[in-house]
Amino acid sequence: MHLNKVSLEARHISLSYGSTEVLRDVNLRIEPGEFFALLGPSGSGKSTLLRLIAGFNQHQRGELLVDGQDITGTPPHARNVGMVFQNYALWPHMTVWDNVAFGLVERRETKEAIRRKVGAVLELVGLADYAQRRPGQLSGGQQQRVALARTVVIEPKLLLLDEPLSNLDKQLRVQMREELKNLQRKLGLTTIFVTHDQEEAMTTADRMAVLDKGILQQVGAATGLYDFPVNRFVAGFVGTANLLEGEVVSVGGETLVFSVQGLGQLTLPRPAEPPAVGAAALAFRPHQVSIRVRDEQVDASRLWLSGRVESAEFLGEFSRYRVRVGEVALVTDQPHYAGLAMFAPGAEVRLGIEPTQVRFLDQ
């Protein structure tokens, strides 16, 4: 079973409910066969955009193109889009086989075609032996696979997943992420999924779009968004970031001076593409900051700041410290090894920031 790959393009899409703007001038292109995530907090507009692609709600401005054809006025049932909802919505009184066959029966396919297609898709999701069970006799992960099989069997042009893994426990979520990705690769089906879970988006999607307040903030691969966020929101939402507010005071040939509110002036190596003089924020990740005893010999290539540990959390593979430097609190994550003593709250320490990992954000 290998399905057609289609592209999807949103051009200048805006949608309001009354005076509330839910989507504002969204421009986005999803490539054929891509596994694409819409990531954002509650109320960011990601589910609205997904439902709009399915045809359940209508934009007031802009165009929605599938393989170059505008489908704006096409009703949901004529779009040939498959959608898996958060709660799976399986029929409890029907067997797994009948649940999966439902869409094909509705389409009046022949008995032989139904037998062949349902058999193939149950094989694909690893549920061939469960065909005669009812949904209530299955685990959450198996129900999820039935919902996927039921959606994929009608051979949709697009597969839409709304928070597909949020009902599962953490271990199962990780396993199902792998399964989803493998299934999507086998089918080659253009897939768009909505999630508020950055880890889920980063581990499964080829690319993702980060939305906030109905505005598309940034689109790209996980590493691009993580390493080069375009603004404060993306820096803080994709991963964890330290943000120092302040201003770029001067940019010289070799160095750059950044004045931080509540901390003073920092002198950093001038980046290849230096920021403009003026208000900005400095962003860097907690694991890129090393922590040392105050009087220890240190690596001179880092920028060292003296501070005091405010809190210490042991998280298994690493320990997370909150350190007060001047009037600013910075977070640092240190890998944990057996026998490594933690810094106690109140400890006098130095933090070393790796200058090559620092990003200047002007918005």
Side-chain angles (χ1 to χ4, degrees):
M1 188 174 184
H2 206 80
L3 306 178
N4 287 340
K5 297 182 180 186
V6 300
S7 65
L8 176 87
E9 198 173 350
R11 288 186 188 161
H12 302 293
I13 282 192
S14 295
L15 183 150
S16 301
Y17 295 131
S19 61
T20 310
E21 284 189 295
V22 186
L23 294 171
R24 295 195 243 177
D25 197 32
V26 171
N27 288 287
L28 181 63
R29 182 180 159 83
I30 296 168
E31 299 301 331
E34 193 166 27
F35 198 169
F36 196 92
L38 299 173
L39 177 67
S42 300
S44 60
K46 58 190 188 302
S47 290
T48 303
L49 184 53
L50 196 75
R51 294 177 70 81
L52 189 140
I53 296 165
F56 299 141
N57 54 27
Q58 211 50 50
H59 45 283
Q60 285 102 352
R61 285 198 301 286
E63 299 170 293
L64 185 66
L65 311 174
V66 171
D67 265 358
Q69 300 289 309
D70 192 354
I71 59 163
T72 297
T74 310
H77 63 86
R79 290 189 179 194
N80 197 15
V81 165
M83 186 149 177
V84 177
F85 295 95
Q86 198 172 347
N87 60 0
Y88 315 144
L90 300 173
W91 307 105
H93 60 286
M94 287 187 187
T95 62
V96 166
W97 180 278
D98 289 337
N99 262 288
V100 174
F102 188 79
L104 300 174
V105 174
E106 289 277 283
R107 292 178 177 210
R108 305 220 161 89
E109 298 227 2
T110 66
K111 277 206 167 72
E112 174 50 37
I114 292 172
R115 199 181 58 75
R116 192 183 73 248
K117 288 180 181 179
V118 175
V121 78
L122 285 178
E123 195 70 49
L124 186 69
V125 298
L127 290 177
D129 297 343
Y130 295 80
Q132 295 315 310
R133 297 209 186 170
R134 299 237 185 312
Q137 298 169 297
L138 302 178
S139 69
Q142 289 166 334
Q143 289 181 21
Q144 160 81 322
R145 286 188 225 158
V146 176
L148 274 167
R150 183 184 61 183
T151 308
V152 164
V153 78
I154 62 165
E155 301 178 14
K157 285 182 174 174
L158 294 167
L159 178 60
L160 308 181
L161 308 170
D162 190 6
E163 298 272 3
L165 309 179
S166 59
N167 289 351
L168 307 174
D169 63 50
K170 184 156 171 58
Q171 230 167 342
L172 194 54
R173 276 210 302 271
V174 174
Q175 185 193 328
M176 285 302 295
R177 275 190 331 221
E178 286 293 302
E179 287 189 21
L180 253 183
K181 201 167 180 175
N182 292 339
L183 179 67
Q184 194 269 344
R185 290 275 179 277
K186 275 183 200 157
L187 294 170
L189 189 57
T190 307
T191 301
I192 304 162
F193 78 106
V194 155
T195 180
H196 64 275
D197 182 330
Q198 39 165 309
E199 190 179 300
E200 195 170 292
M202 289 164 84
T203 50
T204 45
D206 298 315
R207 287 189 309 143
M208 55 176 138
V210 177
L211 281 133
D212 184 40
K213 301 185 177 76
I215 298 169
L216 206 55
Q217 304 290 322
Q218 190 172 0
V219 179
T223 49
L225 270 62
Y226 187 84
D227 292 340
F228 299 98
V230 292
N231 59 30
R232 293 167 174 79
F233 179 80
V234 176
F237 197 76
V238 179
T240 309
N242 286 298
L243 283 175
L244 295 178
E245 294 290 345
E247 63 171 320
V248 178
V249 179
S250 64
V251 180
E254 297 287 309
T255 58
L256 173 154
V257 177
F258 186 75
S259 175
V260 182
Q261 292 162 17
L263 185 58
Q265 292 199 339
L266 305 179
T267 303
L268 295 151
R270 177 181 188 265
E273 293 178 23
V277 169
L282 199 61
F284 49 93
R285 304 291 179 184
H287 70 273
Q288 296 161 347
V289 183
S290 47
I291 183 169
R292 295 285 181 270
V293 179
R294 183 68 68 88
D295 51 11
E296 192 182 317
Q297 281 296 105
V298 292
D299 165 10
S301 70
R302 289 185 175 236
L303 173 70
W304 292 92
L305 304 171
S306 296
R308 178 179 273 116
V309 175
E310 278 192 333
S311 68
E313 280 182 303
F314 175 60
L315 296 169
E317 63 261 41
F318 63 90
S319 301
R320 173 164 287 178
Y321 298 101
R322 202 178 140 88
V323 179
R324 177 67 53 180
V325 180
E327 292 167 29
V328 176
L330 295 177
V331 176
T332 170
D333 291 345
Q334 299 306 301
H336 175 73
Y337 300 96
L340 190 66
M342 286 180 68
F343 288 96
E348 300 283 340
V349 294
R350 288 169 89 186
L351 295 183
I353 300 165
E354 174 57 64
T356 60
Q357 302 300 313
V358 163
R359 302 287 173 257
F360 290 93
L361 306 174
D362 56 7
Q363 50 175 321

